[in-house]
């Protein structure tokens, strides 16, 4: 059976796994974005706080995914919960770091002008600083999403949803009928989904980043 025939014959199952894969990655990225932006807002004015937050997020990223999942499974069991927690933790670094860089890079003259117009500190943050930092934050989310697409495959170790199950099952059945097709279908599916999400980010950037900021 060719790869095309394999995919066509199992399209319902593969499309469901693809949807679950994208869903867990997108949801994890959004959760990480909320946490990362909050952390960035809290520390960007402090060089020490920024360094500590970035260092802690970097430390998490150095933990092998198998090891992190192995630590989470005894506490949260198998399935989506440990998978999402691991993905959120891995996504924190690029989002937090880019939030800090984006906010710290806002021209002080712009914020001073906003305060001169009577804006409160919260108003300056939400209406000026975060808007100007948005391209950097979005870039961090894009990097995090692409990174999580691959890590989510390994999350099949924790019985997480997605195409990782197809890849692992194909590899463990190496040499048997359609094992290679199964592993390839899962792998190519992840690649195609990553390209699709990259296109989505491009559209979001075109719609939400003003032409002046894009340069």
């Amino acid at each position: 059976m060719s790869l095309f025939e394999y995919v066509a014959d199992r399209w319902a199952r593969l499309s469901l796994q693809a949807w679950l894969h994208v869903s867990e990655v997108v949801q994890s990225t959004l959760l990480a974005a909320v946490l990362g932006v909050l952390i960035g807002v809290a520390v960007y004015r402090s060089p020490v706080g920024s360094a500590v937050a970035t260092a802690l997020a970097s430390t998490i990223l150095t933990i092998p995914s198998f090891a992190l999942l192995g630590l989470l499974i005894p506490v949260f069991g198998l399935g989506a919960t440990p998978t999402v927690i691991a993905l959120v933790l891995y996504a924190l670094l690029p989002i937090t770091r880019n939030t800090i860089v984006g906010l710290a890079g806002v021209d002080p003259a712009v914020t001073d002008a906003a305060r001169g117009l009577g804006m409160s500190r919260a108003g300056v943050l939400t209406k000026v600083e975060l808007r100007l930092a948005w391209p950097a934050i979005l870039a961090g989310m894009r990097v995090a999403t692409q990174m999580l697409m691959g890590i989510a495959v390994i999350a099949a170790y924790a019985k997480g949803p997605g195409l990782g199950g197809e890849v692992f099952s194909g590899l463990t059945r190496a040499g048997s009928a359609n094992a290679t097709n199964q592993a390839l279908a899962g792998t190519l599916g992840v690649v195609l989904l990553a390209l699709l999400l990259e296109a989505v980010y491009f559209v979001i950037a075109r719609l939400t980043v003003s032409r002046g900021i894009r340069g």
Side-chain angles (χ1 to χ4, degrees):
M1 180 181 293
S2 68
L3 177 61
F4 179 80
E5 292 172 331
Y6 178 88
V7 172
D9 188 53
R10 294 161 177 80
W11 177 252
R13 187 186 74 193
L14 291 172
S15 58
L16 175 61
Q17 294 298 333
W19 166 251
L20 293 174
H21 198 98
V22 169
S23 178
E24 69 178 351
V25 167
V26 171
Q27 290 181 63
S28 298
T29 302
L30 292 176
L31 287 172
V34 172
L35 292 175
V37 170
L38 288 176
I39 294 171
V41 167
V43 304
Y44 81 99
R45 294 180 182 274
S46 167
V48 174
S50 298
V52 170
T54 303
L56 290 175
S58 299
T59 301
I60 295 173
L61 199 60
T62 63
I63 303 174
S65 51
F66 273 115
L68 182 56
L69 288 168
L71 293 172
L72 293 173
I73 288 173
V75 180
F76 299 100
L78 298 171
T81 301
T83 298
V84 171
I85 292 174
L87 294 181
V88 169
L89 290 175
Y90 281 126
L92 279 178
L93 175 60
I95 297 174
T96 301
R97 181 178 58 196
N98 278 33
T99 299
I100 294 171
V101 170
L103 290 172
V106 176
D107 189 343
V110 175
T111 57
D112 289 342
R115 292 192 187 95
L117 292 174
M119 281 190 180
S120 64
R121 184 169 179 176
V124 172
L125 174 64
T126 56
K127 297 180 180 180
V128 178
E129 292 179 305
L130 282 175
R131 289 190 179 186
L132 292 175
W134 172 242
I137 296 171
L138 187 62
M141 293 175 63
R142 180 180 62 81
V143 171
T145 299
Q146 296 302 320
M147 182 173 62
L148 296 190
M149 288 297 293
I151 297 176
V153 173
I154 302 174
Y157 169 71
K159 302 298 182 183
L163 291 168
E166 298 293 323
V167 177
F168 267 72
S169 180
L171 293 177
T172 56
R173 293 173 51 248
S176 61
N178 287 320
T180 301
N181 284 335
Q182 186 173 20
L184 281 175
T187 302
L188 293 176
V190 171
V191 173
L192 291 175
L193 291 175
L195 293 174
L196 175 62
L197 288 178
E198 185 71 13
V200 171
Y201 272 107
F202 177 79
V203 173
I204 292 174
R206 298 292 295 183
L207 294 176
T208 61
V209 179
S210 69
R211 186 175 302 175
I213 297 177
R214 291 200 303 265

